[in-house]
Amino acid sequence: MTQHTASRKSSLSLNLRYMAMQIPYWMGFSILSSFASVFLLSRHLSDGQIGVVLAAGNLLAVLLQPLAASLADRSVRFTLSQFTAILALVMVLTAVLLAFLPAAASGAILYAFLYTVLMVLQPLTISLGTFYILRGQPLNFGLARGMGSLAFAAASALGGWLIDRTGADAVPFMVIACFSLFFFSLFGLPTGRKAVTAGPEDGACVSSEKPCSLPEFFRSYKRFILLLAGVSLLFTYHNILNTYLYQIMEPLGGTAGDVGVCLSIAAVCELPTMFLFAWLYKRFRCSSLMRTAALFFTLKSLVILLANHIWLINLAQCLQIFAFALHTAASVYYTNQVIPPKDQVKGQALMTTANTVGGVLGTFLGGQLLLVWGVSNMLLTGTLLSALGTVIVFLSAENRQTVKK
């Protein structure tokens, strides 16, 4: 076997193992986030109470994401993949309790906790990829994340179909299945010191410098922090849409099945961008890609604001190709470019935390606006916040690179 053949097989193996982790995570993410309203309504919670439950879960995640990243980064006893597996097991056990404790109060508390752990896991799944990328391993993050989007689409459609036929109690059982698979997939991604050897010299970039503290990080990377504020506003609308899509579509005659189809359309439209991101990355600046994504977030919000039929909402979801999909891949590489290697785990965690802050604002604000002012005013407020976020991203995205592209 030639060295080139062995390298290709090693690359294929690594990418398949990383995909095998991304797929069940995003399937579980789809079920838990997309059908939160449907499940909690079945437990007799109001729209306002649902907003409080999901906002509480996101708020806890905002506080815990940087802490979890620091623990995973500094832990001597557990590797990154082992730490992630422990949280996956917590998800499974909590979902079991949710399935068999039908009371509204226990359902609300357990769902909020599940949502918290779900969001804490997200930057860790990204860091599992950057662990290999920074060591020069040929991991195609965009391709793997694209497979996660495909899995999200499949889970959305299947989840909506199952809920229409069996009821909302199917949600915790689907979560159990997804995160059990996620747990076992992590054993294929070792992240100990001897897990990989340095790859090609143009890719290996592992720093031995000591990571800075959170206060030092905020002082050192002020423009990056400003960009995170803009991202949070973009994701405020994004989370309003995803969390209350059932309430948005119901006046137009939509069902849980229609919600599943609508989310599947968005997820499928992410695939071209995810799969072709390596090509885009070589031809365009990451700062330009971040600005383009921000613009399309707001264009999508405008189309949905003006939509008077389900098919227009489905059409708006097609803009996902240049909005969420482009942001998801570009933000990982942008962070790696503008944040030095010693602080990149923290940088990736804070980028995800910015998304989660948008989740806090979106789920809480959306629920309250829906309760008091109705769907139209909720969407109008979300669109204005998205527009402000776009302006901030345009002003704060920077072209400088601290590591070689």
Side-chain angles (χ1 to χ4, degrees):
M1 183 184 293
T2 66
Q3 184 177 358
H4 178 68
T5 302
S7 176
R8 288 185 61 186
K9 286 190 173 182
S10 174
S11 172
L12 178 61
S13 174
L14 173 60
N15 280 281
L16 288 175
R17 284 181 283 129
Y18 190 64
M19 286 179 199
M21 181 273 294
Q22 286 278 338
I23 287 170
Y25 175 77
W26 286 105
M27 289 179 71
F29 193 105
S30 170
I31 298 300
L32 197 61
S33 61
S34 303
F35 300 106
S37 288
V38 178
F39 179 80
L40 292 172
L41 284 171
S42 76
R43 293 288 175 96
H44 310 296
L45 273 71
S46 68
D47 290 329
Q49 289 170 330
I50 292 170
V52 171
V53 168
L54 298 181
N58 275 305
L59 182 59
L60 282 171
V62 168
L63 300 174
L64 293 177
Q65 277 172 340
L67 176 61
S70 294
L71 286 173
D73 195 34
R74 298 169 182 268
S75 176
V76 176
R77 185 174 182 182
F78 299 108
T79 65
L80 176 60
S81 53
Q82 289 170 341
F83 186 78
T84 306
I86 291 169
L87 293 180
L89 188 58
V90 170
M91 288 285 291
V92 172
L93 295 175
T94 305
V96 170
L97 290 175
L98 183 65
F100 294 102
L101 292 176
S106 60
I109 293 169
L110 291 171
Y111 212 96
F113 181 73
L114 276 173
Y115 210 85
T116 298
V117 182
L118 176 75
M119 301 307 295
V120 169
L121 278 169
Q122 192 174 340
L124 299 180
T125 65
I126 295 171
S127 294
L128 284 166
T130 57
F131 173 89
Y132 290 95
I133 291 171
L134 291 174
R135 286 158 178 78
Q137 299 301 304
L139 177 67
N140 188 329
F141 177 85
L143 178 61
R145 182 59 183 81
M147 293 304 296
S149 292
L150 185 60
F152 186 104
S156 294
L158 179 61
W161 180 82
L162 282 174
I163 290 168
D164 273 348
R165 282 155 181 77
T166 65
D169 286 338
V171 169
F173 292 100
M174 289 188 281
V175 171
I176 291 167
C178 292
F179 283 96
S180 294
L181 290 173
F182 178 67
F183 172 80
F184 288 110
S185 72
L186 291 163
F187 292 99
L189 290 169
T191 52
R193 291 184 179 181
K194 298 181 180 180
V196 295
T197 55
E201 61 274 8
D202 62 344
C205 185
V206 182
S207 174
S208 59
E209 295 180 70
K210 184 179 178 181
C212 68
S213 65
L214 272 176
E216 291 171 337
F217 188 99
F218 276 74
R219 287 194 297 268
S220 300
Y221 311 113
K222 293 178 181 177
R223 194 163 171 180
F224 182 74
I225 299 302
L226 179 61
L227 180 130
L228 295 184
V231 169
S232 293
L233 291 174
L234 294 175
F235 273 78
T236 297
Y237 176 82
H238 181 74
N239 281 279
I240 285 175
L241 175 64
N242 285 349
T243 303
Y244 301 105
L245 187 57
Y246 179 74
Q247 288 91 331
I248 293 167
M249 297 182 75
E250 191 178 29
L252 303 177
T255 66
D258 292 316
V259 171
V261 170
C262 186
L263 291 169
S264 296
I265 290 170
V268 168
C269 287
E270 295 173 10
L271 299 180
T273 302
M274 298 290 189
F275 291 158
L276 296 175
F277 187 79
W279 180 86
L280 292 170
Y281 179 62
K282 292 177 181 177
R283 287 161 178 79
F284 300 97
R285 291 175 173 175
C286 266
S287 56
S288 298
L289 296 176
M290 291 288 288
R291 291 185 179 109
T292 301
L295 178 62
F296 274 87
F297 267 108
T298 299
L299 288 176
K300 177 181 173 181
S301 71
L302 282 169
V303 175
I304 291 176
L305 176 65
L306 300 173
N308 58 2
H309 196 280
I310 288 174
W311 73 265
L312 284 172
I313 296 178
N314 289 340
L315 181 64
Q317 292 287 55
C318 297
L319 296 177
Q320 195 87 332
I321 189 172
F322 296 119
F324 178 81
L326 189 58
H327 171 85
T328 297
S331 62
V332 172
Y333 288 89
Y334 177 84
T335 302
N336 278 357
Q337 281 189 12
V338 302
I339 303 299
K342 70 184 181 72
D343 291 319
Q344 281 179 5
V345 172
K346 197 176 278 87
Q348 295 292 352
L350 287 171
M351 178 62 76
T352 307
T353 299
N355 303 347
T356 311
V357 168
V360 175
L361 295 173
T363 51
F364 179 76
L365 183 63
Q368 304 313 307
L369 289 172
L370 188 62
L371 185 65
V372 177
W373 285 346
V375 171
S376 296
N377 286 308
M378 176 185 73
L379 291 175
L380 176 60
T381 303
T383 299
L384 293 173
L385 292 174
S386 182
L388 178 59
T390 297
V391 171
I392 294 173
V393 170
F394 264 75
L395 294 174
S396 58
E398 52 189 321
N399 298 327
R400 70 179 178 88
Q401 298 180 25
T402 61
V403 294
K404 184 171 67 174
K405 185 171 180 176

